[in-house]
Amino acid sequence: MIMRSEELRFGPAERQVVDVRLPERPTRTVGLYYIHGGGWYAGKRQDFHGHLDHFAQRGFVAAATGYRIEESAGYRDKINDVTAGLAAFREWLADQATEVDRVVVLGSSAGAHLATMVALRSAESDDQRSPIAGCVSVNGPGTLVPWPELDGNIRTKIDWLRADGSSLDELSPDRRVRVGCPPFLFLLAEHEHLFPHDQVRSLAGLIEQHGGWTETAVVPETKHGFVYTLGGPAQDRALELITAFLDRISPSSP
């Protein structure tokens, strides 16, 4: 399938860019918006280019955003960046006259956290332009409220996130669940060492208690961050699970 690539700039910073893949003939009414991981202070949008190509070849309009990663960038900078990038993607979709009218947000690790927060914030928003149709969290946290076994590096990064005055309630997914949440798919690495599975399952339970629906799956023989490099059996399984989730939200048109 022939694809077109675009770069959408949404701010002056080097990383305030969204990369887009547009199929010649999109067959899905949802767009995909990826947010990279890297402990909030590393990683890059290009890490998900393989996913963009994979899904664009299957009829999806797919995008991956950057956000500021310098130590001075707190949580509000990052959530504002990914939200601004999403707005730029939505405006671009409208300009292209595609039939895409909703967006699924996806991410891994810290990117899964930011994707989850975008999706949960959508339940609080009155803005229904290209509403959030779903969220895919791969190896993301269920909470950022510290727990006894919290990794020291993650604890430091949470302190950096909060340097802008953000409270734990503001940046913890389990504190932001509301009625009206979109569907969620939680993909967990079997050998996860950063974000406990039970906390993710607890978040899924909260979403369901508020009327949402969730799916949770453990991908065997995987470690944190496994999803980026495609081509192995674990990555193939993750793509199958994501595709099945997307099929429930937006069946392919003929």
Side-chain angles (χ1 to χ4, degrees):
M1 179 179 289
I2 299 174
M3 294 182 290
R4 191 170 92 233
S5 299
E6 297 277 353
E7 284 190 0
L8 313 178
R9 179 161 292 282
F10 59 88
E14 178 183 358
R15 290 176 175 264
Q16 291 175 317
V17 177
V18 178
D19 293 337
V20 183
R21 298 289 188 273
L22 175 69
E24 182 179 35
R25 190 177 72 86
T27 59
R28 301 291 188 129
T29 58
V30 295
L32 308 184
Y33 182 74
Y34 278 88
I35 305 173
H36 70 80
W40 297 280
Y41 292 91
K44 57 189 184 299
R45 66 187 188 277
Q46 291 88 346
D47 293 338
F48 273 128
H49 278 187
H51 283 249
L52 302 192
D53 293 341
H54 173 87
F55 282 108
Q57 290 168 2
R58 287 155 180 81
F60 290 92
V61 182
T65 191
Y67 54 89
R68 286 168 286 174
I69 64 170
E70 57 268 26
E71 185 177 335
S72 60
Y75 169 71
R76 293 170 188 165
D77 292 321
K78 297 175 190 300
I79 197 69
N80 287 341
D81 277 358
V82 298
T83 301
L86 177 59
F89 181 43
R90 286 167 161 167
E91 291 174 6
W92 182 85
L93 287 169
D95 290 343
Q96 300 304 308
T98 69
E99 294 185 3
V100 176
D101 57 2
R102 298 172 298 156
V103 177
V104 173
V105 291
L106 312 91
S108 174
S109 189
H113 168 251
L114 293 171
T116 297
M117 299 307 289
V118 168
L120 294 176
R121 281 161 56 112
S122 72
E124 305 171 357
S125 174
D126 294 327
D127 184 359
Q128 293 304 306
R129 296 171 301 169
S130 302
I132 301 298
C135 178
V136 178
S137 166
V138 185
N139 303 327
T143 186
L144 289 185
V145 176
W147 57 95
E149 299 80 17
L150 176 61
D151 177 85
N153 184 53
I154 297 297
R155 187 183 298 271
T156 297
K157 300 300 175 56
I158 292 173
D159 289 341
W160 291 0
L161 290 173
R162 296 187 61 206
D164 61 6
S166 299
S167 67
L168 287 173
D169 282 349
E170 185 176 350
L171 53 82
S172 289
D174 60 333
R175 305 295 179 89
R176 307 298 294 182
V177 177
R178 303 288 187 274
V179 172
C181 294
F184 274 78
L185 170 63
F186 295 102
L187 294 186
L188 309 178
E190 181 180 10
H191 305 295
E192 175 64 36
H193 69 289
L194 293 179
F195 302 123
H197 288 182
D198 61 346
Q199 294 178 359
V200 177
R201 292 193 173 97
S202 177
L203 173 61
L206 283 172
I207 293 170
E208 292 179 358
Q209 288 172 25
H210 284 77
W213 64 268
T214 72
E215 299 176 6
T216 302
V218 176
V219 182
E221 299 300 321
T222 52
K223 297 180 180 180
H224 191 86
F226 76 93
V227 77
Y228 291 108
T229 303
L230 302 183
Q235 292 75 21
D236 288 347
R237 178 58 179 154
L239 290 174
E240 289 174 2
L241 291 165
I242 293 171
T243 300
F245 177 73
L246 296 172
D247 285 344
R248 290 188 63 182
I249 294 170
S250 171
S252 179
S253 62

